[in-house]
Amino acid sequence: MKHYLKPHEWLIVEEGFDAHHHRISESIFSLGNGRMGQRANFEETYSGDSHQGTYVAGIYYPDKTRVGWWKNGYPEYFAKVLNAPDWIGIKIKIGKHEVDLNRCKVTGFKRTLDMKKGILYRSFTATLPDGKKVVVNTQRFCSMADGEIGAIRYSITPVNFSAQATITLPVNADVVNKDSNYDEKFWNEVSQEAKAGIALVTAETKKTFFQVTTAMSYSIETAGKTVKGKVKASKKEKYADNTVTIGLKKGVETVIYKYAAVLSSENHSKKKIQDQAKKKLKNITTKGYEKLANEHISVWSDIWKKCDITIEGDSAAQQGIRFNIFQLMQTYTGDDERLNIGPKGFTGEKYGGSTYWDTEAYCLPFYLGTTNPRVARNLLVYRYKHLPKAIENARKLGFKDGAAFYPFVTMNGEECHNEWEITFEEIHRTSAMAYAMRDYIDYTGDKNYWTEHGLEVLIGIARFWAQRVNWSKDKNQYVILGVTGPNEYENNVNNNWYTNYLGAWTLRFTMQAIDFVKNNSPEKYKSLVAKLRFNENTETEQWKDISAKMYYPQDQTRGVYLQQDGFLDKELIHAKDLKPEDRPLNQKWSWDRILRSCFIKQADVLQCMYLFEDDFTLDQIKRNFDFYEPMTVHESSLSPCVHAILASKLGYNEKAYEMYLRTSRLDLDDYNNDTEDGCHITSMAGTWMSVVKGFGGMRVRDGVLQLSPFIPDQWQSYSFRLEFKNRVLKVIVSKGKTDVLLESGEPLEIVLNEKVVKL
Ligand code: BGC
């Protein structure tokens, strides 16, 4: 764990420059706006260790699979959101030396992320090797008001000299993905252009042929007056810039404003993309930094009005939750149904920026609770559009007749993960799509989603399960063999309880959807039956049989469900008895030792109890929690939040609080020693759930919102807002009291602490 960031309600603050923390800070201080984003790299040259990263949503490259031993059924490629052309550079040379924090003496360094405004600030004093001292103050944002633009205000003031300086303002498409499988560069150049005042590069991805035009313009002011300086425009392959020579005067501030327009062929025709980028650039340069910044800040202000969570009496917890909400909102805005939420968002390259089951299992409730239902619906439609590929994925693995197997990792619907234990075995993910539909319908009441898109998806998934189970003569029940459950520290197990439960539930849920569509839109149902060649009688008979005769491993003596067949053969030890030098297991132990041990990476049996809590008694949940949690090492970021929610339900308040802190400050405190790879964006939605579903006890049952809050001892009060059925509610919980305010919308009945109240 690291504690170098100062707790603050709205700010993330790093004081003093420590190069060892730089990659971690580059992740934490990242910026984005749903369409593009970037790690918090420095504008000026930095020759020290850094991971330069700029990303454009939806622009990916199918990097040819690299595995030690090929297995039939492996996907040909792993899709990667590309490290995209970089526009932030402001390279300053004074005499022979560059401003480079790796080569200068740095004092007074401060990096601040203002989450209220979405602006990244930096200030420092740098002494160059020849003794010249400059004070630098920077600001930067990716506009939430217009996803295609970004801007920088870079101020430099000489402290002890006057001299000529050259300022180079590049756009650079000569960039690489750190995780490239074959050290390949993924961009080809289409064109570059550089003339006084403007530089742009259009680059095209190899194989996928997406084009991105990145254009920059700038203005420079000294003591508040525009200076033109001597300008040299130059270009080379994949690169264009302007170098401006100006005089810096001792004690006088020079401000460089750099504007960027980043347009992709996903939203513009390739023929017009350069012209449109230039037009946009002209408009934003005329508008100027202050106006653009104000427009951006005003979008953030609206976002915070709807989804802020306040915590009084615990600034670390307050900072943690705002950081999580901030990152989620700048990763996915929900206005484009082609986009999704990569586990690292725009903060790093691990997980390839692709879509995981994380979206459905963890992120959806966050967007349901904090934004217009359209956003969550877009996430469902994204998967609906991938249905043909899910059917193809299934076909490649030998399934037939329209069975749909959703991928573990994808950009366009095709599976692109290639570890056999996950690609072939972690099959529970296909039901996450069904569960997300249930979540959406429960929360919004929009059952028509089944009619429009949902049922078609469900029939595909149900067909997959019907073919994936097999009848065990020995058990006289259906079994599911050779799987990996959510707990990836077990592979190729039989009858993972979570997987069996989800499979059987999906079949029942699909039949419920059939009834609805058949009764409410018989015509649509008829056409779907024809389109899918759906034989309702035979297929549903089989589904009923499977769901009625599914085998669920359990231990009657302890009264617990077994994570999988044979779990009790393991040596059952508690995580607290591990030596500190053994943790994290995934970095310290061999894989085979992990597999043989009882240690659990992330909620598995408990994940299911969290998803279907009304199917179990409190005593059942308690027994399973008490049995499994002590063996859980939480080495997946997705683990603590589920435990925080269940612990809250069980009245294990201290445990709930411990788990909350762990999820909310996972990246800020670098708990798992991996924040330098990027932030854990999808688990951040779990942090939100820990407060709202955990401490707030929020549930929706039969269309009714229910709350049963408790307050951790460490807090004086907390509040959260919910967008629910065209209303905005504010819930304020203090010691011994809960207020629920209807901030907008029609009167509403809710259940508060088991009593019906009218708002
Ligand atoms: C977890 C998966 C998750 C992935 C991406 C892994 O560590 O075990 O459940 O989908 O991370 O967040």
Side-chain angles (χ1 to χ4, degrees), residues 431 465 480 498-508 547 550:
S431 271
W465 286 114
I480 304 182
Y498 176 92
T499 306
N500 289 18
Y501 202 92
L502 263 280
W505 169 79
T506 306
L507 299 175
R508 293 193 295 274
S547 89
M550 179 63 83

Side-chain angles (χ1 to χ4, degrees), residues 420-434:
W420 63 269
E421 63 275 27
I422 293 176
T423 312
F424 307 141
E425 296 208 325
E426 215 172 326
I427 57 176
H428 66 81
R429 87 281 191 137
T430 202
S431 271
M433 315 308 143

Side-chain angles (χ1 to χ4, degrees), residues 720-738:
F720 57 87
R721 283 192 170 82
L722 285 175
E723 169 133 354
F724 181 70
K725 299 197 174 159
N726 295 324
R727 287 124 176 138
V728 177
L729 314 185
K730 183 171 182 187
V731 183
I732 308 159
V733 187
S734 45
K735 307 262 180 208
K737 183 168 157 243
T738 300

Side-chain angles (χ1 to χ4, degrees), residues 59-67 70 74-82 177 179-182 184 186 206-208 342-344 348-356 407-412 414-420 422-423:
I59 303 301
Y60 70 94
Y61 176 79
D63 201 12
K64 192 169 155 25
T65 301
R66 182 174 197 142
V67 284
W70 186 266
Y74 269 168
E76 297 293 321
Y77 67 89
F78 192 102
K80 285 170 184 165
V81 166
L82 294 188
N177 266 60
D179 63 348
S180 153
N181 282 345
Y182 298 91
E184 229 185 312
F186 299 144
K206 295 179 185 167
K207 294 187 191 169
T208 36
K344 300 280 171 197
E349 284 160 30
K350 196 170 171 198
Y351 298 123
S354 307
T355 309
Y356 284 62
F408 199 79
V409 180
T410 194
M411 280 306 296
N412 65 356
E414 251 167 339
E415 175 63 79
C416 58
H417 198 281
N418 39 50
E419 284 170 290
W420 63 269
I422 293 176
T423 312

Side-chain angles (χ1 to χ4, degrees), residues 2-139:
K2 303 190 180 59
H3 291 293
Y4 71 96
L5 301 171
K6 303 250 166 332
H8 185 287
E9 288 191 354
W10 279 107
L11 309 176
I12 310 291
V13 185
E14 176 186 7
E15 276 176 357
F17 182 58
D18 180 344
H20 295 107
H21 293 152
H22 186 47
R23 277 182 182 243
I24 303 171
S25 293
E26 284 181 320
S27 301
I28 291 176
F29 291 79
S30 292
L31 292 177
N33 62 14
R35 293 231 166 255
M36 62 173 177
Q38 54 194 215
R39 287 167 59 79
N41 307 122
F42 294 159
E43 288 85 0
E44 67 280 350
T45 297
Y46 182 64
S47 58
D49 182 46
S50 153
H51 177 182
Q52 186 82 31
T54 300
Y55 309 95
V56 181
I59 303 301
Y60 70 94
Y61 176 79
D63 201 12
K64 192 169 155 25
T65 301
R66 182 174 197 142
V67 284
W69 198 261
W70 186 266
K71 299 205 165 36
N72 271 348
Y74 269 168
E76 297 293 321
Y77 67 89
F78 192 102
K80 285 170 184 165
V81 166
L82 294 188
N83 208 333
D86 163 34
W87 54 265
I88 64 161
I90 299 181
K91 318 280 172 198
I92 301 192
K93 197 166 178 192
I94 304 164
K96 278 197 276 172
H97 300 286
E98 275 197 291
V99 177
D100 171 353
L101 298 201
N102 190 40
R103 299 226 156 92
C104 297
K105 184 170 160 241
V106 185
T107 51
F109 179 90
K110 190 169 178 187
R111 171 156 40 188
T112 307
L113 178 64
D114 185 330
M115 299 182 283
K116 198 175 202 169
K117 299 182 174 162
I119 296 192
L120 172 62
Y121 298 87
R122 228 161 27 104
S123 52
F124 59 86
T125 300
T127 308
L128 276 64
D130 59 6
K132 291 194 181 76
K133 215 184 234 193
V134 288
V135 172
V136 172
N137 286 291
T138 73
Q139 299 180 19

Side-chain angles (χ1 to χ4, degrees), residues 343 350-351 356-358 362 408 422 426 428 486-488 601-602 635-638 680 682-683:
K350 196 170 171 198
Y351 298 123
Y356 284 62
W357 74 304
D358 303 28
Y362 295 85
F408 199 79
I422 293 176
E426 215 172 326
H428 66 81
N487 167 23
E488 292 172 350
K601 181 184 181 188
Q602 68 201 91
E635 287 177 12
S636 160
S637 64
L638 301 175
H680 299 80
T682 44
S683 83

Side-chain angles (χ1 to χ4, degrees), residues 726-755:
N726 295 324
R727 287 124 176 138
V728 177
L729 314 185
K730 183 171 182 187
V731 183
I732 308 159
V733 187
S734 45
K735 307 262 180 208
K737 183 168 157 243
T738 300
D739 290 311
V740 186
L741 313 177
L742 181 62
E743 292 203 325
S744 70
E746 299 289 304
L748 177 76
E749 277 189 355
I750 66 162
V751 175
L752 176 61
N753 292 324
E754 297 178 6
K755 285 201 194 101

